[in-house]
Amino acid sequence: MSTQANLPNVSNFDPQLTSLPQIDWANLSPRFLESYCELRPDPALEEFLRRVSRANQARGWRLWLTKWLKSRISSYELQGWLGVHAMYLLGQAQAEALLGNSPTEALLDLGGGAGDVTQFLAPLFARTVVLDSSSSLVRRARARGREAHCGDASLDPWPDGTFQALALLNVLDRCARPRTLLERCARELRPGGRLLLSVPLPFRPHVEDGSRSPPPLEQLRVSGASWERQLTYLVEQVLAPRGFAVERWSRTPYLSAGDLNQPLYSLDAAVLVCRREPGG
């Protein structure tokens, strides 16, 4: 079974950046096959690649300025101020394949940044709110019409409201307190609530504090010698003990607009829809 093997390729981007190896099912138990959701190519991906290609050609000065500022401020602030490092994970059709269409629910996108991915999730929910620690990204999300708030999702108060769904997309490997954040998600979600989780594997934590890259304040262990083994560990040793049961999952590229060194960066992400179990 393929995993997005023939995604659209635009301009001079390496096709390997937008496709992934096939899943080694021999390294996964049969229950993973039962909950697997194969994601079809999404038109939003092709549009993202075209937009990145046009931006790289027309706004070269931003890439030079980004290179100069990288030693002074975080990449998140750069993204907010200059609009660089646009991101893509799921298009709307792909998100609907994983989540279904549940317009009565409210979604809180934790670490949602400028709303690059939120925009494709929003049509599936009655209300969508972004919470991010970067004030410049929050301003950019608001400028795009998103309801957005600034704060540390692991420590600060969350926006008012009852959220039946949370999104935690490529955040656990980029935050200082991943265990605290994941446990808070488990506490805040009522039984039956859903967590849309994306984690690049292999798991390589990288925290930014301004221009510094200190180690995380908490260590979240995700062990395994292969992508499949790390997925198994994530599900069985990280999510299940915190009361999360995986309903659907897939494997997809997590793409980011690049810099002077490389026009596009890609990580190999596991995307999981987890339901909060009673008594978890």
Side-chain angles (χ1 to χ4, degrees):
M1 186 178 298
S2 64
T3 56
Q4 291 191 314
N6 297 300
L7 297 181
N9 179 43
V10 176
S11 186
N12 61 344
F13 293 133
D14 183 349
Q16 293 301 314
L17 294 172
T18 54
S19 62
L20 295 173
Q22 291 194 4
I23 294 171
D24 182 2
W25 291 103
N27 272 323
L28 290 172
S29 70
R31 64 186 178 84
F32 280 91
L33 179 58
E34 295 170 3
S35 56
Y36 174 70
C37 175
E38 183 169 10
L39 297 178
R40 303 292 183 183
D42 195 299
L45 172 57
E46 186 167 3
E47 174 54 33
F48 170 80
L49 294 176
R50 292 188 188 281
R51 182 159 46 91
V52 170
S53 180
R54 290 194 300 266
N56 286 347
Q57 295 171 13
R59 301 173 186 172
W61 66 269
R62 293 195 181 191
L63 299 181
W64 285 103
L65 184 57
T66 298
K67 182 178 180 180
W68 182 75
L69 288 172
K70 264 189 174 180
S71 62
R72 294 162 175 81
I73 60 176
S74 75
S75 62
Y76 307 120
E77 295 305 319
L78 282 172
Q79 183 185 358
W81 290 349
L82 300 179
V84 295
H85 305 317
M87 299 177 183
Y88 179 89
L89 179 70
L90 297 168
Q92 182 178 337
Q94 294 171 326
E96 189 166 354
L98 283 164
L99 289 163
N101 195 339
S102 304
T104 60
E105 295 186 358
L107 170 73
L108 178 60
D109 190 356
L110 300 165
D116 289 356
V117 181
T118 319
Q119 64 179 317
F120 299 115
L121 301 176
L124 307 182
F125 294 90
R127 179 191 179 203
T128 307
V129 181
V130 171
L131 177 65
D132 198 274
S133 60
S134 168
S135 58
S136 66
L137 285 175
V138 167
R139 286 195 298 270
R140 187 168 287 272
R142 289 172 178 168
R144 297 167 114 180
R146 301 265 74 85
E147 180 182 350
H149 302 264
C150 190
D152 184 332
S154 62
L155 300 176
D156 294 334
W158 288 1
D160 292 337
T162 301
F163 297 98
Q164 298 85 16
L166 303 174
L168 198 59
L169 305 176
N170 308 304
V171 174
L172 287 180
D173 62 323
R174 293 294 182 265
C175 68
R177 300 175 180 84
R179 293 203 310 269
T180 297
L181 179 55
L182 195 54
E183 287 158 8
R184 186 174 188 184
C185 291
R187 288 197 309 272
E188 295 288 343
L189 274 178
R190 295 180 179 178
R194 295 184 299 169
L195 172 67
L196 176 61
L197 176 68
S198 175
V199 182
L201 301 176
F203 189 74
R204 296 189 179 111
H206 174 79
V207 177
E208 291 191 26
D209 182 6
S211 61
R212 301 186 308 112
S213 298
L217 297 175
E218 299 173 353
Q219 295 296 323
L220 181 67
R221 183 182 178 192
V222 181
S223 298
S226 66
W227 192 94
E228 290 81 5
R229 293 296 186 188
Q230 288 211 359
L231 173 64
T232 301
Y233 191 100
L234 176 69
V235 170
E236 295 180 349
Q237 304 299 323
V238 176
L239 298 175
R242 291 170 171 85
F244 290 112
V246 175
E247 290 187 332
R248 297 185 191 90
W249 70 276
S250 195
R251 184 178 189 175
T252 187
Y254 167 47
L255 303 174
S256 172
D259 49 31
L260 291 171
N261 298 320
Q262 185 171 313
L264 190 71
Y265 288 95
S266 177
L267 295 174
D268 191 347
V271 185
L272 309 100
V273 178
C274 308
R275 187 169 294 276
R276 180 73 167 86
E277 293 288 270

